[in-house]
Amino acid sequence: MAGESETHSLEDDIVASVDTGARNPSGGVGKFIAGTAFVWALFQLYIASNLPFWLTDVTGIPLVVTNSNARLIHLAFGLFLAALAFPLFKKSPKNTIPWYDWLLGLIGVACCLYIVVLRNEIAVRAGLPTQGDLIASTIGMVILGVTVYRALGLPLLIVASVFVSYVFFGNSEALPEAIQWKGASYSKAMWHFWMQNEGVFGVALGVSASLIFLFVLFGSILEKAGAGNYFIKIAFALLGHLRGGPAKAAVVASALSGLYSGSSIANVVTTGTFTIPLMKRTGFSPEKAGAVEVASSTNGQLTPPVMGAAAFLIAEFTGISYTDILKHALVPALVSYIALVYIVHLEAMKLNLKGLPKPPSTKTFSAKLIGFLSGFIGIGVLGILVYYGLGWIKQVIPDYAFFIVAVGCGAMYLYLIRLAAKQPDLVVDPPDAPITELPRAGEVAITGLYFILPIVILIWCIIIERLSPALSAFWATVAMIIVILTQDPLKSYFRGTGNYGEAFKIGVGHWIEGMIAGSRNMISIAVATGAAGIIVGTISLTGAHQVVGEFVEFLSGGSLIFMLILVALMSLILGMGLPTTANYIVVSSLMAPVIITLGAKSGLIVPLIAVHLFVFYFGILADDTPPVGLAAFAAAAISKGDPIKTGIQGFAYDIRTALLPFLFIFNTELLLINVGVVKAFFVFGVAVVAMMLFASATQGFLFTRNRKWESALLLLVAFTLFRPGYWLDKISPPFDKFEPARVYEVIDEVTPNGTLTVIVSGPDFDSGEIESTTILVNLGEPVEAAERLSKAGLNVIVESGRAIIEEPFPGTPYFESLGKSFDYYGDDPVQIAEVRKPADRVAKEVFYIPALLLFALIVVLQKRRVRKEHGAGVEATA
């Protein structure tokens, strides 16, 4: 028992030190921390609602909190709670709060509120800081650095410090000339970083204050209501009887937790405490059991709708709508999880594992089949009713749609609670408790179907009502609060047990715990987004991303694929030890522009969402990459395995995830870009098959152990299914190429709303050397060619066989890609070097035929080998 207690203490310490804070003093101080966290959650709900506007109208007192002030107050709460909840040193007390932590927390609050109180005076002297401004900024930056160290460790502090140093010492002769810049004065830098919304209080912190907190709070309350345990139980009931059932259930449970979790480490501890011991008992080694949980949990950060709270940052940084980001991220996340389940199946096959015992059933096969089909059809009908039924209400009676849907959800909630009351409540089983029989899936499912309703409300608000993600999360959180407060009293009522007061008291306790846990989960995120704002601010002040781009271009030698590999490796390194939100901000700020710029120079035009998902995927994979993979350390604490071996094995499982970004860079159909509904299902099916074949090749097992040449052929088949266009490009060029002077002639042949690829060359703005880049021109409806091109944002003058491009104006589509890159006032003109139009070719899917025939051959050979091995085994037994 002592060993078990020690293990749980270690895993709790890991997740606390990263997410919630390892300090939990008792008595009045403990209540003060909890009370402050509860007030923070109330404040965030207040500013997300319409209540401030209503109170302002009623009282005449301005009670609306502006977005700028919300950011300042948000970070003030984060700095103060971090000082109280996170010990500054390893030897600092965990049961009491030293005086210096109180002081540091209060000073951090004062530095944030300094701007709130003096907002009007600061606006008047914009860019001309007083001595008081510089003192507040300097102390604020120092306090933020100390808080980053205590809440997030050294990695982010070192990265942020390097960027701040570059601002001041970027003109040092000790640096290579290629990365030098003119440097900034102390007052300019401090004003940029602290006194305006360009640095610490920039976009990242704004998203944390307005969006991320609400989704983390929603997930926390959902967890305290019992949804986490429900997801684990339903996963085990459905999959526990299969080969390696506990491991497959761990994958599914982690995927479900990923719907609302903002941390891979918390995900590991939440589901892994239960799943890892079970995996070990069914035959998995400690390292493999931990690795399965790590791979599942890191993939949870890539799963819509929350994506580790980074989905909202991606929307803000790219300008792509939140709903579109969910659509683009869906297929890769699903494909990755399905492949992980298959990898677990292959591991179980290798070890000849069996599933857990199923409950006895008197149903015939036909009755089971009918039940399965009924459930499948029922889910489909429910989805159709939610999408089209609620959408129809919105169209017919838009003024009352919200009220009708709220009443409808309330009625459905009462019905589902009544069904749940007929079954005993799910209890959290001890991890080492023996499982003599799996629970029945139907009985487990009934106990928590009502947890889905707040998620339905969230999706309805975003997709149908078209509310902002913040307001949608607010209403979903309100619905979840109603659920957590009423579920126990309503169950008592339907069961006829009485004692409603005690049941309601339990619900209130869970709600308060959820509010406090949500705020404590947000401490590290608030601090991380503030620190990451320093990096974004440095890039906007110095143009550091251009330096990184030149460095990568130099190392890659112009090779496109080597450039992507370098960016992937640098994203892995930059992401080590960082929470999801800070991870994305760092890698996207530095590495995303590199892919866009160098890709265009190499003739590859990549959609912005593909670029940002590429760097985000590799940043997240740092969570299980030794030597810093924190998720691997958390899993190893539970499994009692080696954390480095766990991380290496987890990364081996995650090779399939590392493959996906390279694939959707070259095949954007995987992100459902310009893909219809029917084609989307086809793309998804092909991607699943291809990824499973890739998993078989890397695991060396299909129906039996692969021979080396079989694994090589499986890789070839998987590659062909993922990117058939590669082989088509070898046979038939993807573009018809035309002389620049024929640009207008080619435009007349482009279909309505079609695209035209244009190679632009001209003198580089900085070096003066002739450079070239590729742009994609989106042409609208057919009109006169020059006008059509002008409407697309490009003005071209054709003369003397040349197509000269006029300088784009700020705010036009090509100002960033052309206006800032080329010198329009030099001796050499900026001109079109080549015009490309998509060629008429056969469908690339034709290459699926030889690939599938090759796969069929491998299947036949392996099946024959399995029969021989089985026959030999029977003969030996006889």
Side-chain angles (χ1 to χ4, degrees):
M1 291 298 290
E4 179 185 334
S5 173
E6 182 180 338
T7 300
H8 285 295
S9 174
L10 181 56
E11 69 210 29
D12 289 343
D13 284 348
I14 290 174
V15 73
S17 64
V18 175
D19 282 326
T20 61
R23 187 183 279 149
N24 274 301
S26 58
V29 175
K31 290 178 180 178
F32 177 78
I33 295 175
T36 305
F38 185 79
V39 170
W40 190 12
L42 284 179
F43 168 75
Q44 295 289 159
L45 287 172
Y46 171 78
I47 62 174
S49 69
N50 290 322
L51 188 59
F53 300 96
W54 180 79
L55 289 174
T56 299
D57 290 339
V58 171
T59 63
I61 303 171
L63 296 172
V64 176
V65 181
T66 65
N67 184 266
S68 296
N69 285 342
R71 298 179 188 188
L72 292 157
I73 297 171
H74 180 77
L75 185 61
F77 270 112
L79 293 175
F80 185 64
L81 283 172
L84 303 187
F86 290 83
L88 183 55
F89 306 107
K90 287 184 178 180
K91 295 183 179 180
S92 296
K94 293 185 178 180
N95 298 322
T96 59
I97 302 175
W99 64 269
Y100 55 81
D101 280 343
W102 285 104
L103 181 62
L104 289 172
L106 291 172
I107 292 174
V109 172
C111 291
C112 292
L113 297 187
Y114 174 87
I115 304 175
V116 176
V117 174
L118 300 177
R119 169 72 66 187
N120 294 332
E121 291 86 343
I122 291 171
V124 171
R125 59 175 181 265
L128 299 171
T130 63
Q131 189 172 4
D133 294 341
L134 292 177
I135 292 172
S137 301
T138 303
I139 296 175
M141 291 283 285
V142 171
I143 294 292
L144 179 60
V146 171
T147 308
V148 167
Y149 171 73
R150 74 160 80 226
L152 299 161
L154 277 174
L156 183 57
L157 178 62
I158 292 172
V159 172
S161 299
V162 168
F163 277 84
V164 171
S165 300
Y166 182 66
V167 169
F168 294 119
F169 307 112
N171 57 354
S172 171
E173 294 182 359
L175 295 176
E177 187 177 348
I179 65 173
Q180 289 182 16
W181 86 294
K182 63 182 181 180
S185 66
Y186 188 77
S187 60
K188 180 179 180 181
M190 288 298 102
W191 184 274
H192 187 79
F193 282 132
W194 193 264
M195 299 303 294
Q196 61 178 5
N197 293 344
E198 293 289 335
V200 173
F201 303 105
V203 171
L205 190 66
V207 175
S208 177
S210 62
L211 281 172
I212 296 175
F213 193 106
L214 292 171
F215 277 86
V216 170
L217 182 63
F218 172 75
S220 178
I221 296 174
L222 190 67
E223 177 73 31
K224 293 297 180 181
N229 184 47
Y230 171 71
F231 289 150
I232 291 174
K233 289 292 180 70
I234 195 69
F236 270 84
L238 290 171
L239 301 172
H241 65 285
L242 303 174
R243 282 181 181 267
K248 292 174 182 175
V251 175
V252 174
S254 292
L256 293 171
S257 297
L259 292 175
Y260 58 83
S261 172
S263 164
S264 55
I265 296 122
N267 202 332
V268 165
V269 174
T270 301
T271 57
T273 303
F274 184 68
T275 59
I276 290 175
L278 276 175
M279 282 190 269
K280 287 173 61 181
R281 282 162 47 199
T282 54
F284 280 81
S285 68
E287 286 75 21
K288 286 191 175 181
V292 168
E293 183 58 49
V294 167
S296 306
S297 298
T298 52
N299 274 224
Q301 304 302 284
L302 308 171
T303 306
V306 176
M307 298 173 67
F312 320 108
L313 288 166
I314 297 174
E316 196 70 31
F317 280 29
T318 62
I320 299 169
S321 71
Y322 173 69
T323 50
D324 282 343
I325 285 169
L326 301 188
K327 179 186 76 172
H328 296 319
L330 182 61
V331 168
L334 289 177
V335 168
S336 186
Y337 264 119
I338 291 170
L340 183 57
V341 171
Y342 183 62
I343 287 173
V344 167
H345 176 73
L346 294 178
E347 288 283 13
M349 292 271 288
K350 292 178 190 176
L351 298 171
N352 197 26
L353 301 181
K354 305 297 181 184
L356 296 173
K358 289 179 65 175
S361 175
T362 57
K363 291 184 178 180
T364 62
F365 174 77
S366 59
K368 292 179 181 178
L369 183 62
I370 291 170
F372 173 78
L373 290 176
S374 299
F376 186 78
I377 293 169
I379 292 172
V381 170
L382 179 62
I384 292 170
L385 286 175
V386 169
Y387 186 81
Y388 291 102
L390 298 182
W392 176 80
I393 293 172
K394 175 68 176 174
Q395 289 179 351
V396 176
I397 38 178
D399 294 339
Y400 299 97
F402 193 88
F403 174 75
I404 292 172
V405 170
V407 172
C409 285
M412 180 61 72
Y413 171 58
L414 291 174
Y415 172 71
L416 293 176
I417 277 284
R418 186 178 180 184
L419 286 180
K422 295 179 180 179
Q423 300 291 334
D425 291 333
L426 297 178
V427 296
V428 180
D429 298 320
D432 295 325
I435 296 182
T436 56
E437 188 176 279
L438 288 170
R440 297 179 187 275
E443 294 175 358
V444 173
I446 289 172
T447 62
L449 283 175
Y450 59 89
F451 288 132
I452 298 173
L453 284 175
I455 299 174
V456 170
I457 290 173
L458 174 66
I459 295 171
W460 178 76
C461 286
I462 291 173
I463 295 177
I464 298 175
E465 277 289 330
R466 299 288 179 180
L467 300 180
S468 68
L471 196 54
S472 301
F474 168 76
W475 286 117
T477 305
V478 169
M480 199 60 240
I481 291 172
I482 293 171
V483 168
I484 201 171
L485 290 175
T486 61
Q487 61 176 347
D488 291 307
L490 286 173
K491 284 180 183 178
S492 296
Y493 171 76
F494 287 122
R495 289 168 178 165
T497 57
N499 205 7
Y500 306 123
E502 186 63 29
F504 182 72
K505 186 177 179 181
I506 292 172
V508 171
H510 287 159
W511 170 57
I512 293 173
E513 289 174 7
M515 296 279 280
I516 294 169
S519 293
R520 293 195 67 150
N521 287 335
M522 273 302 301
I523 295 172
S524 58
I525 294 177
V527 173
T529 50
I534 294 174
I535 297 164
V536 177
T538 299
I539 291 170
S540 67
L541 187 63
T542 67
H545 63 279
Q546 296 178 353
V547 174
V548 176
E550 291 173 3
F551 177 67
V552 172
E553 185 177 16
F554 170 75
L555 290 180
S556 64
S559 169
L560 184 62
I561 192 67
F562 192 42
M563 178 269 288
L564 291 173
I565 292 171
L566 281 173
V567 170
L569 291 174
M570 293 177 77
S571 297
L572 266 176
I573 294 168
L574 287 169
M576 286 185 179
L578 302 186
T580 301
T581 46
N583 190 322
Y584 166 71
I585 295 166
V586 172
V587 296
S588 65
S589 300
L590 278 175
M591 306 314 302
V594 173
I595 297 179
I596 294 169
T597 304
L598 298 186
K601 285 186 178 181
S602 302
L604 176 68
I605 301 173
V606 187
L608 198 57
I609 183 62
V611 173
H612 280 255
L613 286 178
F614 181 94
V615 296
F616 179 52
Y617 264 58
F618 281 102
I620 290 301
L621 288 176
D623 278 349
D624 63 8
T625 306
V628 189
L630 296 178
F633 277 85
I638 302 171
S639 69
K640 301 176 185 176
D642 183 278
I644 301 298
K645 290 181 179 178
T646 300
I648 293 171
Q649 185 66 58
F651 188 76
Y653 289 153
D654 266 339
I655 288 176
R656 78 205 186 286
T657 308
L659 174 72
L660 278 169
F662 287 96
L663 295 170
F664 60 60
I665 282 283
F666 291 103
N667 182 8
T668 56
E669 287 183 350
L670 288 170
L671 302 179
L672 302 184
I673 295 175
N674 299 324
V675 169
V677 175
V678 175
K679 182 70 178 289
F681 280 101
F682 178 74
V683 168
F684 172 69
V686 171
V688 168
V689 173
M691 188 55 80
M692 291 173 73
L693 295 180
F694 178 80
S696 290
T698 54
Q699 294 298 308
F701 201 96
L702 184 59
F703 298 105
T704 184
R705 293 195 181 276
N706 296 342
R707 288 171 179 157
K708 291 182 179 179
W709 63 268
E710 288 176 332
S711 291
L713 287 181
L714 285 173
L715 287 174
L716 179 63
V717 173
F719 175 78
T720 303
L721 293 179
F722 269 126
R723 199 179 167 221
Y726 175 82
W727 304 113
L728 182 58
D729 291 345
K730 294 295 183 183
I731 297 172
S732 175
F735 298 105
D736 293 327
K737 301 177 181 180
F738 300 90
E739 293 296 320
R742 297 181 60 189
V743 60
Y744 290 152
E745 177 186 334
V746 176
I747 288 173
D748 287 332
E749 297 175 3
V750 177
T751 57
N753 299 311
T755 59
L756 192 69
T757 303
V758 175
I759 313 296
V760 179
S761 68
D764 182 72
F765 189 81
D766 296 315
S767 67
E769 297 180 1
I770 300 298
E771 299 281 355
S772 64
T773 190
T774 306
I775 60 172
L776 191 66
V777 182
N778 296 303
L779 300 170
E781 294 296 327
V783 290
E784 196 270 327
E787 182 183 353
R788 194 177 182 192
L789 192 58
S790 179
K791 284 183 176 179
L794 211 59
N795 293 308
V796 176
I797 300 172
V798 178
E799 60 180 21
S800 304
R802 298 189 302 180
I804 300 173
I805 299 175
E806 295 183 352
E807 183 179 10
F809 292 107
T812 57
Y814 301 103
F815 177 71
E816 292 292 328
S817 56
L818 300 182
K820 291 184 175 181
S821 301
F822 294 106
D823 182 4
Y824 288 82
Y825 302 98
D827 296 332
D828 296 305
V830 179
Q831 60 184 321
I832 295 176
E834 186 176 87
V835 180
R836 295 177 177 178
K837 190 183 72 169
D840 291 329
R841 305 188 296 173
V842 298
K844 61 184 179 181
E845 287 78 12
V846 72
F847 288 94
Y848 290 163
I849 297 173
L852 293 174
L853 288 174
L854 193 59
F855 172 57
L857 174 64
I858 297 171
V859 170
V860 170
L861 293 175
Q862 288 218 0
K863 284 285 189 181
R864 185 181 299 171
R865 203 154 68 243
V866 168
R867 284 195 296 269
K868 286 183 179 179
E869 292 169 358
H870 181 70
V874 172
E875 187 177 330
T877 304

